[in-house]
Amino acid sequence: MLSILRSLVQEVNGARDLQEALDIIVSRVQKAMGTEVCSVYLLDPATNRYILMATEGLYRKAVGQVSLGYSEGLVGLVGSREEPINLEDAPSHPRYRYFPETGEERFRSFLGVPIIHHRRVLGVLVVQQRESSRCFDEGEEAFLVTVSAQLAGVIAHSEATGAISGMSLTGEEARDVSFNGVPGAPGVAIGSGVVVYPAADLDVVPEKPTEDIDGELALFRAAVNAVREDIERVASRLASQLRPEEQALFDVYLRMLGDEALPGEVANRIREGIWAQGALKQVVQQYVRHFERMDDHYLQERAVDVRDLGRRVLSHLQEGEQKHLIYPERTVLVSEELTPAMLGEVPKGQLVGLVSVKGSSNSHVAILARAMGVPTVMGLVDIPVNQLDGKELIVDGFEGQIFASPSSDLRAFYQAICDEEDELIKGLEVLRDKPCETTDGHRVSLLVNTGLMTDVVRSLSHGAEGIGLYRTEVPFMIKDRFPSEQEQREYYREQLEAFAPNPVTMRTLDIGGDKALTYFPIQEENPFLGWRGIRVTLDHPEIFLVQVRAMLKASEGLNNLQIMLPMISNISEVEESLHLIYRVYHEVREEGYDIHMPKVGVMVEVPAAVYQIRELADRVDFLSVGSNDLTQYLLAVDRNNPRVAQLYHSYHPAVLQALVRIAQDAHAVGKPVGICGELAGDPGGALLLMAMGYDSLSMNAASLPKVKSVIRSVGREWAMQLLEDVLLLDSPHVIKSCVDLALRNAGFGRYLRPGKTSSAAFAEQAV
Ligand code: PEP
Ligand code: MG
């Protein structure tokens, strides 16, 4: 059964469109189950009716004609109950509906299973049989359930493709459909999609038509010739080292590159009007599927060769392509997995939005996007990325959703939100030089989180009082090797100088988990519980010492440096780090630098640290809570996994209780405590943290004016009452609603989400 299922999924994955996918499903399932009828009904979101989309066994002319209301007939019953229904004599069931146009009266036994994707019923898969004596058994039911579960994602994907091209299931014009992910950076952007993809990855090549057929053919032939030459060169270089049978491998490759083989087929597709990369992708995937289906192991292995050849040709086709990419004036960058380098490719001032299939709101790229103030949606797992190239896109970074090819009404609605946001930000400029103080005189320091120099410039213009977290891994991430001490010194000096005499808190390298350096790969089964943060740098003192030395030298004459240690879970890690920092301090002074010993602090981001605040505080000068990781570890929810993003909640009562405890324990031993996780930049979160007594809140520059204006408008007593009230609640959602309500009542509804309620009308459908 597994092999039937595997090949079915492969075939369906390779289908050109939804209709082909559904036709494959009904025909293969009917055959595999030996039944007379297999049909698939999909729920059309536009009409909320189940439409017969494909059938094997019923009259073909009924396809697209027969439809049932949401709770009509047995199909509707399966959909609304969200579970299989297996009947020996369907016509005797009270919910049975008869459609003469299907020829259905001849069939008695019925087995229907829902097709559900991310809790949403997409449709119903049905098998039927003439004889009532042939009741579908448990094994068959289990098979159909498995098929349906596997295919739900593929169907959702194809459906989304239709929505992007503006066509509904019935071929009519689609209404605006939102694709839901996770908010990455707040704000709304309207622009043109530019799909960027890692080089030589066939799977992510977009489908594009071409009008320059001769040009594409010439490009393709040149790429094939280049690969042929590469292979001949490698073969002759290795001739003396390989046995003849091993050398034959290269002949296989060269034969596959012969004109009658793969290149011939690709050329035919180019002549049909598909661009060379897309044609290559289609043919290679078809060959791969063909070989993988073979029973013979040797032939199965050829799939690997074809894929490899495809990649080689593609990389020649793509040579220099990224450089020639034309970025429209309002570029929305779209990728399977956005990288900081991709952001850097877009000319200054042209990047308005970001969309990433992988990652979540706390992925590094989202953090960078927030720093740059670029509205971003992450974790759009089911979006057909390639279809977004060149499409007009609306990126709603407040709600974590995007719209493709929007209607003029929707565009106007979002344009109004953009204008409103601009106005709001301008209105807040007057607060720049005002202190962050409640109406009853309680003062909180507002700091910024930085990584790039862009952040620093924005932060200064937003009135930040210093840097609460400089993520030193960011400059490390945009290089292709460890930066030298001198290079680091220059990066650090820029940050220190920009804020002097205000404090700049530099965190020692925090890699591992989701923060990868291409030149220092860490392969682990469970990276968030593995080698990250201080664990890596204490194991590599050469990295730690160089970094601290660069920081200390950079601080000469400024003396506003503070050093912060990430991912502390043991007191011994703090002691070892302090020992190394003192050592460097004395060495650097001996070298003649006139520096002061910086304040040293630890991040509280691992639950163990929450219970050792006093012991930690005794050894350092300050504490700073990393609420992003603390939330992830307290709730056991991967901060980058969009599937569980709904469970990642910094307003969870357990997180709030931990935050209260940290502030109390730190103050009990007289040490200042701040917070540098994203919660600090959330106006509601900032209110609660201020009420808890946090001395400083460090956030992305874009959030700072809003947080300041909220804190300046309320009394501490009022915020403490709100905190007391929410600490009695047990649900993160209820807590969030309570805080939102308080903000609304205080006149800050606009900070929550401009126009949220009215946008819901456009955004009922989640993929
Ligand atoms: C945190 O974990 O809250 C934090 C500020 O660090 P990072 O997001 O860089 O892991
Ligand atoms: Mg962290």
Side-chain angles (χ1 to χ4, degrees), residues 153 205 220 222 246 544 553 709:
V205 166
F220 177 64
E246 287 162 346
F544 189 83
K553 288 183 181 171
S709 99

Side-chain angles (χ1 to χ4, degrees), residues 38 123 168 181 239 304 326 377 422 556 571 581 617 680:
C38 177
S168 76
V304 180
I326 296 171
V377 177
D422 289 349
E556 193 184 30
I571 301 296
I581 294 170

